[in-house]
């Protein structure tokens, strides 16, 4: 047998290497479990579009046909949460309803889908209450099961606390429904009281039930009681480190700042809002509420005629509201009532303290540009006249 020529060997080695590289490029298929972990991580890091792609791939692997399967539950629930984050409530509802059709009692994947639907369903009112109550039923069952298990005490304590917090939040949700959609019902006030009382018993060391209690007291014109509840609520978290999980979420603290302003606790409200802006300086609502709150504080100071304090407050109010409207335009925000009120407040503020320095600079630049255009027009006329 003749020896292989060197160039033949080189050609063969090159071909083998190419084939090997091609084989190596064929990566094994990613498992649906891995895709779900990736999707959850992407959602956690504010990348919902990428999370949606990964979650849909996982669902296709877990449910390759139109036939429903319990294996698809984790993907359906995660898809629901991703679509909530993307601002697509219709797709979120569809995913959660599909999950409920597979697991009507929350035996396999818990209460979350019921609690989400309580907030997302289009009918609201009694339908929201029904979903909240279903979620609470599942959570209470899980608590009972946990208490009967012999596991590490620390694990039990943490899991129980989390589930009790969810029950308290759901009860607060029921109270909110009876204060809004179902406020016309004869039993609305008693249902509110019962829900918030149970929430306080279930999770006494959490701020949300106290905040809901304050909202009820404000609606009852019991302002002093509302102030007491708000003070107790804030005392539970204001001294905690920024990353402490016991701090209420962003939207809950936005609601808190509104309640503080309604209860005429403007100093506490602006503290909450400054903290919120420090965490996220792109919140249209936080800038709006801060501007409004500073304006209210200035109004109170007018009784003392303390201009040295009033003017800085009015200027700060103006700056917050200007930031609000810039973000409103940039993000194409859709709350027209918010914009109308911010415009109204700014008009009054401009009359009192004038526009901000940046606004003045922009006006000067526009005037300079107009003057420059006038000079250019004059030069063009002169050239045409031959001068």
């Amino acid at each position: 047998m003749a020896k292989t020529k060197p160039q033949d060997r080189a050609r063969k080695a090159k071909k083998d290497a190419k084939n090997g590289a091609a084989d190596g490029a064929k990566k094994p298929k990613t498992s649906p479990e891995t895709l779900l972990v990736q999707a959850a991580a992407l959602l956690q890091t504010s990348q919902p579009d990428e999370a949606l792609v990964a979650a849909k791939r996982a669902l296709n692997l877990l449910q390759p046909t139109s036939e429903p399967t319990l294996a698809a539950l984790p993907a359906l629930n995660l898809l629901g949460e991703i679509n909530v984050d993307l601002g697509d409530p219709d797709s979120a509802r569809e995913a959660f309803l599909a999950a409920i059709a597979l697991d009507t009692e929350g035996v396999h994947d818990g209460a979350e889908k019921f609690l989400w639907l309580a907030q997302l369903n289009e009918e609201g009112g009694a339908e929201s209450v029904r979903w909240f109550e279903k979620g609470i039923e599942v959570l209470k069952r899980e608590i009972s099961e946990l208490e009967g298990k012999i596991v590490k005490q620390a694990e039990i304590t943490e899991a129980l606390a989390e589930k009790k917090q969810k029950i308290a939040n759901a009860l607060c949700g029921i109270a909110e429904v009876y204060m809004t959609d179902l406020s016309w019902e004869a039993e609305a006030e008693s249902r509110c009281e019962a829900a918030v009382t149970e929430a306080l018993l279930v999770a006494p060391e959490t701020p949300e039930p106290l905040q809901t209690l304050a909202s009820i007291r404000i609606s009852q014109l019991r302002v002093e009681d509302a102030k007491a509840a708000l003070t107790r609520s804030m005392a539970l978290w204001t001294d905690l480190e920024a990353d402490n999980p016991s701090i209420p979420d962003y939207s809950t603290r936005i609601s808190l700042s509104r309640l503080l302003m309604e209860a005429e606790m403007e100093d506490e409200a602006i503290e909450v809002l400054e903290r919120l802006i420090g965490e996220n300086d792109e919140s249209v609502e936080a800038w709006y509420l801060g501007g409004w709150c500073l304006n209210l504080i200035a109004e109170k100071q007018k009784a003392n005629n303390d201009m040295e304090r009033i003017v800085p407050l009015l200027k700060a109010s103006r700056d917050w509201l200007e930031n609000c409207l810039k973000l409103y335009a940039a993000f194409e925000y859709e709350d027209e009532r918010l914009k109308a009120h911010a415009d109204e407040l700014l008009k009054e503020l401009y009359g009192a303290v004038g526009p901000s320095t940046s606004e003045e600079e922009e006006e000067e630049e526009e005037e300079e540009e107009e003057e420059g255009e006038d000079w250019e027009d004059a030069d063009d006329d002169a050239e045409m006249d031959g001068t």
Side-chain angles (χ1 to χ4, degrees):
M1 181 177 173
K3 291 182 179 180
T4 306
K5 294 179 182 179
Q7 58 268 40
D8 291 339
R9 285 201 301 271
R11 195 179 297 115
K12 184 175 183 296
K14 188 175 180 180
K15 184 179 179 182
D16 290 342
K18 186 177 179 182
N19 290 336
D23 291 339
K26 294 177 183 176
K27 296 179 181 178
K29 285 185 178 180
T30 308
S31 71
E33 293 76 18
T34 302
L35 286 167
L36 288 174
V37 170
Q38 289 174 358
L42 288 164
L43 180 61
Q44 193 69 27
T45 54
S46 301
Q47 300 176 73
D49 292 304
E50 293 83 348
L52 185 65
V53 173
K56 282 184 174 179
R57 284 180 60 199
L59 180 62
N60 290 336
L61 292 171
L62 292 167
Q63 189 172 288
T65 67
S66 58
E67 188 68 27
T69 168
L70 280 173
L73 276 174
L76 287 169
N77 281 297
L78 186 54
L79 276 169
E81 292 187 32
I82 292 167
N83 280 302
V84 169
D85 202 73
L86 286 168
D88 186 355
D90 292 337
S91 297
R93 276 192 298 270
E94 184 181 342
F96 289 128
L97 285 169
I100 287 173
L102 290 170
D103 179 28
T104 56
E105 298 302 316
V107 174
H108 297 280
D109 64 352
E112 291 301 315
K113 55 182 180 282
F114 303 110
L115 300 177
W116 275 117
L117 272 179
Q119 301 169 70
L120 293 169
N121 84 87
E122 293 178 291
E123 295 178 30
E127 189 68 7
S128 288
V129 171
R130 186 173 75 83
W131 287 122
F132 274 129
E133 288 176 341
K134 187 64 181 178
I136 291 168
E137 177 190 319
V138 174
L139 287 164
K140 286 182 175 179
R141 186 187 68 221
E142 290 176 344
I143 287 173
S144 179
E145 290 170 357
L146 264 177
E147 289 174 338
K149 288 182 178 179
I150 303 174
V151 293
K152 291 181 181 177
Q153 188 59 40
E155 292 177 4
I156 281 269
T157 303
E158 185 178 347
L160 285 175
E162 182 183 347
K163 292 183 187 302
K164 286 179 179 180
Q165 173 74 67
K166 288 180 179 179
I167 288 175
N169 289 346
L171 288 163
C172 290
I174 290 173
E176 292 287 346
V177 172
Y178 277 103
M179 280 192 286
T180 52
D181 293 359
L182 301 178
S183 60
W184 49 269
E185 288 203 356
E187 61 177 5
E189 188 170 354
S190 62
R191 288 295 301 267
C192 277
E193 293 284 354
V196 78
T197 299
E198 186 179 351
L200 287 165
L201 289 170
V202 170
E205 296 302 314
T206 55
E208 288 85 349
L210 287 164
Q211 190 170 316
T212 303
L213 176 63
S215 182
I216 294 170
R217 295 294 176 257
I218 288 172
S219 69
Q220 296 168 334
L221 303 180
R222 294 167 58 181
V223 179
E224 291 306 314
D225 290 339
K227 288 181 177 181
L230 289 169
T231 301
R232 286 168 58 201
S233 176
M234 291 181 65
L236 292 169
W237 62 268
T238 47
D239 293 331
L240 299 177
E241 295 295 326
D243 58 350
N244 193 301
S246 296
I247 295 174
D249 64 27
Y250 204 92
S251 61
T252 300
R253 285 178 285 155
I254 286 284
S255 299
L256 169 64
S257 64
R258 284 184 175 274
L259 288 171
L260 289 165
M261 289 165 65
E262 286 185 63
E264 298 186 4
M265 298 173 70
E266 292 88 356
D267 291 337
E268 291 83 353
I270 199 64
E271 286 180 20
V272 172
L273 288 161
E274 284 173 346
R275 184 165 176 169
L276 289 170
I277 290 297
E279 293 174 21
N280 174 18
D281 62 0
E282 294 185 342
S283 169
V284 173
E285 195 168 4
W287 284 110
Y288 159 70
L289 290 171
W292 184 12
C293 186
L294 287 163
N295 192 279
L296 291 174
I297 295 171
E299 287 295 321
K300 280 190 173 181
Q301 289 299 316
K302 286 182 180 178
N304 303 326
N305 202 27
D306 184 1
M307 295 309 295
E308 287 189 5
R309 182 153 188 232
I310 292 170
V311 171
L313 284 168
L314 292 175
K315 287 184 175 180
S317 172
R318 174 199 62 194
D319 295 344
W320 278 63
L321 291 167
E322 284 178 351
N323 278 332
C324 160
L325 291 179
K326 284 175 184 175
L327 290 169
Y328 188 103
F331 296 143
E332 298 181 356
Y333 210 66
E334 295 181 353
D335 189 336
E336 293 180 3
R337 289 177 63 187
L338 180 152
K339 184 179 185 302
H341 189 216
D343 283 333
E344 180 187 341
L345 290 170
L346 269 177
K347 185 178 179 181
E348 294 174 4
L349 288 164
Y350 286 159
V353 293
S356 65
T357 305
S358 58
E359 293 286 330
E360 290 169 352
E361 289 173 354
E362 286 176 12
E363 288 177 7
E364 287 174 8
E365 286 175 8
E366 287 175 6
E367 288 175 6
E368 288 173 4
E369 286 174 6
E370 288 173 4
E371 288 175 5
E373 288 171 4
D374 292 341
W375 279 105
E376 287 173 10
D377 291 342
D379 290 342
D380 291 342
D381 292 342
E383 287 176 10
M384 291 178 68
D385 291 341
T387 59

